[in-house]
Amino acid sequence: MASRALDVAWCTGQLRTQLVGATLLYYPQLISTMDEALRLAATGEPEGTVIIAETQSAGRGRRGRRWHDQPGHSLLFSTVLRPTVEPRGLPILSLGTAAAVAEVLSSRYDLPVATKWPNDLLIGGRKVGGILLEGRGEAVVVGLGLNVNGQPQALQADVDRPLTTLEAETSAPLRREEVLVGVLEKMDGIYQQFQAGDSDGVVHRYRKFDGLLGRAVCITVGTEQVYGTAEAITDRGALAICTAEGQREIAAGEVQLLAECE
Ligand code: BTN
């Protein structure tokens, strides 16, 4: 599919949300939508504003990784939020965002999407999207990168894990605007649920897509590697694993399926 700028006016006209996407700010190029969202948040930007870029010169992922995009083919955006829950609850916001994307990909496009805790989105074991949460003061910025159109080879360059795009999985290009509106509407509903204190409900939605359950994993927690079998996502959004020493709850870490670890 030929590269084309995102039709933000169409998205604004379609969007039916209470808060998320109240303002959509579109940039042909940014260093990172995270930086712009954090900058705006620090100057009092109201929650719900979404910063979208067609391409990023230094898109970032978790753990200092780069996030690559294909201009005109990817979805790259960050949302400014001002949650009132205590910071300990914030991991659930990132699980909720993963659930929002997974629900859209599954229900609208019939894709067999799975999450890899905490916030990778996979199809057939290949990564199609990722979520990054960063805070500044009272504000939290939730970033999403989603490989919509184009072929994965164009993104693979220096990335050592298998990647995919929605186009590669559906064998047809998707209208990015429809994906964006769908995701923002789901995010809006989940954010209302989260703010109303229904974290259990948010985690319940995430669990439906949990691709780790019963899998042998190794988890990097700081400098430690923990081996075990993934057992559950707890109500607090942690990963419970069964290790040789007993059950353990991991609040934050980098998961690899055991086969990938060795
Ligand atoms: C990950 O899987 O490691 C998280 C990837 C997050 C990428 C998105 S793209 C939009 C936003 N801007 C960034 O620089 N990063 C996030």
Side-chain angles (χ1 to χ4, degrees):
M1 186 191 235
S3 163
R4 180 179 63 70
L6 192 84
D7 186 347
V8 184
W10 185 89
C11 297
T12 304
Q14 290 293 310
L15 209 51
R16 299 282 174 270
T17 55
Q18 283 186 45
L19 191 128
V20 173
T23 305
L24 301 183
L25 298 176
Y26 172 81
Y27 301 82
Q29 175 163 15
L30 284 175
I31 296 170
S32 159
T33 59
M34 298 305 285
D35 293 343
E36 185 60 11
L38 289 165
R39 189 188 69 74
L40 289 171
T43 60
E45 187 67 28
E47 67 171 351
T49 297
V50 177
I51 291 89
I52 307 162
E54 198 64 68
T55 185
Q56 301 180 124
S57 53
R60 59 177 177 270
R62 294 176 72 232
R63 303 183 169 260
R65 295 201 185 97
R66 277 289 307 272
W67 185 263
H68 299 279
D69 63 75
Q70 298 185 72
H73 291 309
S74 308
L75 274 180
L76 312 160
F77 66 88
S78 297
T79 305
V80 176
L81 297 173
R82 298 183 182 279
T84 48
V85 297
E86 53 175 314
R88 274 190 311 161
L90 289 180
I92 290 177
L93 193 52
S94 118
L95 299 190
T97 307
V101 182
E103 286 180 9
V104 172
L105 299 186
S106 162
S107 65
R108 290 203 181 186
Y109 302 101
D110 204 21
L111 284 163
V113 59
T115 55
K116 185 171 133 229
W117 182 90
N119 45 19
D120 282 352
L121 292 148
L122 310 182
I123 300 176
R126 294 176 290 275
K127 183 159 170 168
V128 73
I131 291 147
L132 186 65
L133 206 86
E134 293 179 348
R136 175 157 306 169
E138 309 277 278
V140 170
V141 167
V142 182
L144 171 70
L146 193 60
N147 307 330
V148 181
N149 291 321
Q151 293 306 316
Q153 295 83 334
L155 296 162
Q156 199 73 58
D158 56 348
V159 181
D160 57 357
R161 289 145 200 246
L163 300 176
T164 193
T165 66
L166 298 180
E167 178 175 2
E169 297 300 326
T170 56
S171 306
L174 272 63
R175 195 152 182 245
R176 286 184 302 155
E177 291 82 354
E178 283 174 3
V179 181
L180 177 64
V181 167
V183 169
L184 293 178
E185 289 183 348
K186 283 283 182 198
M187 280 176 67
D188 189 63
I190 287 180
Y191 186 60
Q192 309 297 337
Q193 195 176 355
F194 175 76
Q195 284 283 68
D198 184 15
S199 290
D200 287 359
V202 174
V203 174
H204 178 72
R205 288 170 80 159
Y206 178 89
R207 285 190 188 114
K208 291 187 186 155
F209 299 97
D210 177 13
L212 289 184
L213 205 64
R215 305 288 301 265
V217 292
C218 65
I219 310 172
T220 307
V221 184
T223 54
E224 186 191 10
Q225 290 224 305
V226 185
Y227 289 79
T229 305
E231 284 202 315
I233 306 296
T234 72
D235 290 348
R236 297 166 75 97
L239 178 66
I241 61 165
C242 177
T243 74
E245 291 79 40
Q247 210 204 47
R248 191 159 160 188
E249 273 188 37
I250 311 282
E254 174 77 0
V255 176
Q256 286 180 278
L257 296 174
L258 204 49
E260 297 170 2
C261 245
E262 293 159 348

